[in-house]
Amino acid sequence: MKLLFIILLGYLLGSIPFALVIGKVFYKTDIREHGSGNLGGSNAGRVLGMKAGMGTMAMDLLKVSAVVLIAKILDGSDTAMALGALAAGIGHCFPVFAGFRGGKAVANLYGFLFGLVAFAGRSWLYFLLPLLLYAVILYAGRMTSLSSMISSVAAAIYICLQPAESAPVKVVIVLYALLIVFRHRANIERIRNHNENKIHWLP
């Protein structure tokens, strides 16, 4: 019963569309009607500017970290933390509070990694190595889609290579990477056609 509660709570917390909230409250703008229409940090930054983009990313990260913390307190198992975090990512992509039209789960993946580090004793390399790779690729190519996909797959490979890591965490990190790549399938086509959107709101 606790596990089901954690999964449901994860989905509901993940469904909170912070890009939509920030856009409407602070900018009087529904970002679903602008840019890519995506409820994620990249589109928020593209439409509303760097502060909105970074704020959205931070909140989308923290909502998944909060699920990991709650699962740690209520259950304590890796299974509960991993499934709760995955449910939050699914909620973010298909939010019940925003017509099931959400984001692409990239910040959510980092929220899971941060939660594992902060609340479950994992190495800071879990979080910092993918983040560093994300930043390098983003700086070089200015394509959040490419940096998101490569860093998420790299995170999955790195964690799966850790012999002491539990099976639930490994399975969920792989599912997260697959979800992120799937959500970027239109971006993949644009990258292949050399017309992918590049960001201009980062310094």
Side-chain angles (χ1 to χ4, degrees), residues 37-183:
N38 184 264
L39 286 179
S42 296
N43 194 45
R46 186 180 300 116
V47 174
L48 305 173
M50 183 176 67
K51 289 183 180 180
M54 298 301 290
T56 298
M57 290 178 188
M59 296 305 295
D60 286 343
L61 182 155
L62 290 173
K63 67 184 180 184
V64 182
S65 296
V67 173
V68 174
L69 175 58
I70 292 168
K72 178 70 173 178
I73 293 171
L74 294 182
D75 185 280
S77 69
D78 284 356
T79 299
M81 289 186 288
L83 290 182
L86 180 60
I90 293 171
H92 178 76
C93 292
F94 309 102
V96 67
F97 303 129
F100 302 100
R101 179 185 170 192
K104 297 183 178 178
V106 180
N108 305 145
L109 168 67
Y110 282 93
F112 179 38
L113 297 176
F114 183 80
L116 289 174
V117 170
F119 310 125
R122 269 42 172 207
S123 167
W124 274 101
L125 294 177
Y126 273 36
F127 180 75
L128 293 178
L129 286 180
L131 184 62
L132 177 61
L133 182 61
Y134 178 96
V136 169
I137 297 172
L138 182 62
Y139 181 79
R142 296 282 166 162
M143 290 185 287
T144 57
S145 56
L146 185 63
S147 56
S148 297
M149 289 186 286
I150 292 177
S151 64
S152 63
V153 171
I157 293 172
Y158 175 75
I159 290 175
C160 285
L161 290 176
Q162 305 307 307
E165 188 52 81
S166 67
V169 170
K170 289 181 178 181
V171 169
V172 166
I173 201 69
V174 169
L175 291 176
Y176 248 117
L178 292 174
L179 176 63
I180 288 168
V181 172
F182 174 76
R183 294 289 288 171

Side-chain angles (χ1 to χ4, degrees), residues 17-24 26-27 29-60 92 102-104 107 144 199-202:
F18 283 109
L20 185 61
V21 173
I22 290 172
K24 285 195 170 184
F26 296 103
Y27 298 89
T29 300
D30 186 338
I31 72 165
R32 294 174 296 184
E33 300 173 356
H34 303 275
S36 66
N38 184 264
L39 286 179
S42 296
N43 194 45
R46 186 180 300 116
V47 174
L48 305 173
M50 183 176 67
K51 289 183 180 180
M54 298 301 290
T56 298
M57 290 178 188
M59 296 305 295
D60 286 343
H92 178 76
K104 297 183 178 178
T144 57
I199 63 170
H200 304 288
W201 53 272
L202 286 176

